[in-house]
Amino acid sequence: MQFTRDESLARLEETVSNGEPIIGAGAGTGISAKFAELGGVDLLIIYNSGRYRMNGRGSLAGLLPYGDANEIVVEMGHEVIPVVEDTPVLAGVNGTDPFRQMDVFIEDLQRRGFSGVQNFPTVGLIDEDSQFRQNIEETGMGYDKEVDMIQEAAEQDMLTCPYVFTEEQAREMAEAGADVIVSHMGLTTSGDIGAATALDLETAAERVQAHHDAATDVNDDVLVICHGGPIAWPDDAEYVLNNTTGVVGFFGASSIERLPTEEAIEKQAHEFKEIEF
């Protein structure tokens, strides 16, 4: 079912007013989407990393030249959207794609049943101080293109939930009309293909708060949720939400579809191997 921006926001605001956290879930497969929805998530997000992640590869594969990120999202939409009954589905859009006329592409995503967008793959995951990132910015493939994409989607009445990595980006996305700011703490830790290097939870909470404050300085109504890095399990998200002010939820991709799948399949296989006959 497709939702307008106003309909999606009304549902999210009702969740917050009821004292519940907004929970978004990445869906790399139809079964991930189906059972995340049954678990009560508020948003489902399809992006190219989900395909790599659920094929046993690290999520950062989505940033490397293994496929056309925007085309993969369209393909995944065919698999996921038909099994979703009553949850807004967002598309992870590569806003720096030089081979897409972005206003036309976003219009096409709406026609295909997407209710909103997120900026992924994102150059925000590349160290701002690195020469590679500087060269990307200098050659017209920078984060500003992702801001432009979010603004275009907002103007087309789609829900916008961008990743931000700095206070400046939080302000830029709020100015562009973002509805939900997702404070990104880096590649998710834990599990077989998770990151080993990450912030500690206390530092993550401080950074999430800084992103929140920067965004709400621009727009009091913007919703801010957290994602990634050491915020891998429900207890981690609970810690961040209880040690910040005004942060209202969590978005999990690896946390909701990869980590539980790894554990459940391994456990089930062990139990079958322990059959006595």
Side-chain angles (χ1 to χ4, degrees):
M1 180 176 178
Q2 192 170 26
F3 296 84
T4 67
R5 184 186 191 186
D6 287 344
E7 290 169 341
S8 297
L9 275 173
R11 289 163 65 105
L12 297 179
E13 288 163 357
E14 182 180 5
T15 296
V16 175
S17 67
N18 289 338
E20 301 172 7
I22 294 170
I23 302 297
T29 67
I31 198 167
S32 297
K34 182 174 184 177
F35 287 94
E37 182 176 47
L38 287 173
V41 301
D42 302 288
L43 299 168
L44 289 162
I45 302 92
I46 302 173
Y47 52 94
N48 71 328
S49 272
R51 173 164 290 180
Y52 299 120
R53 177 170 53 246
M54 298 310 285
N55 276 293
R57 306 301 177 186
S59 296
L60 290 183
L63 271 67
L64 295 172
Y66 301 144
D68 180 337
N70 286 330
E71 185 58 34
I72 288 171
V73 164
V74 170
E75 293 172 3
M76 292 172 69
H78 296 312
E79 301 163 0
V80 172
I81 290 175
V83 303
V84 176
E85 295 185 359
D86 191 36
T87 307
V89 178
L90 279 58
V93 177
N94 181 3
T96 67
D97 185 345
F99 302 106
R100 289 290 190 287
Q101 188 175 336
M102 202 51 64
D103 57 341
V104 175
F105 183 58
I106 288 172
E107 185 178 332
D108 185 49
L109 291 174
Q110 289 191 78
R111 184 176 61 81
R112 294 175 182 275
F114 287 97
S115 299
V117 300
Q118 185 173 61
N119 56 324
F120 195 90
T122 171
V123 299
L125 281 164
I126 303 170
D127 184 359
E128 282 192 316
D129 295 326
S130 68
Q131 181 177 330
F132 182 51
R133 173 66 180 277
Q134 290 170 14
N135 290 163
I136 286 174
E137 299 287 344
E138 292 164 356
T139 53
M141 296 176 285
Y143 191 84
D144 62 308
K145 298 293 186 185
E146 299 177 26
V147 176
D148 291 344
M149 181 275 291
I150 291 295
Q151 183 172 350
E152 177 63 39
E155 290 173 357
Q156 291 199 31
D157 198 35
M158 296 191 84
L159 185 73
T160 53
C161 305
Y163 282 138
V164 304
F165 302 82
T166 68
E167 293 168 56
E168 180 183 1
Q169 291 171 1
R171 285 189 287 269
E172 289 174 345
M173 285 299 191
E175 289 169 355
D179 301 305
V180 181
I181 297 290
V182 186
S183 178
H184 200 308
M185 295 296 106
L187 184 64
T188 301
T189 60
S190 298
D192 184 62
I193 53 175
T197 304
L199 303 172
D200 59 65
L201 271 175
E202 182 178 356
T203 303
E206 292 171 357
R207 190 169 294 183
V208 170
Q209 186 68 63
H211 295 171
H212 167 275
D213 295 346
T216 54
D217 277 347
V218 175
N219 178 8
D220 286 340
D221 294 328
V222 69
L223 300 168
V224 179
I225 66 178
C226 58
H227 168 75
I231 317 170
W233 299 96
D235 287 349
D236 303 327
E238 184 175 43
Y239 174 89
V240 172
L241 295 182
N242 284 323
N243 285 275
T244 53
T245 302
V247 180
V248 294
F250 169 74
F251 166 54
S254 292
S255 296
I256 289 181
E257 67 173 353
R258 174 177 64 81
L259 295 177
T261 299
E262 288 179 357
E263 289 195 348
I265 292 177
E266 182 177 359
K267 179 176 181 291
Q268 187 82 335
H270 279 310
E271 290 182 1
F272 273 106
K273 286 296 292 182
E274 290 170 359
I275 292 173
E276 297 180 3
F277 69 103

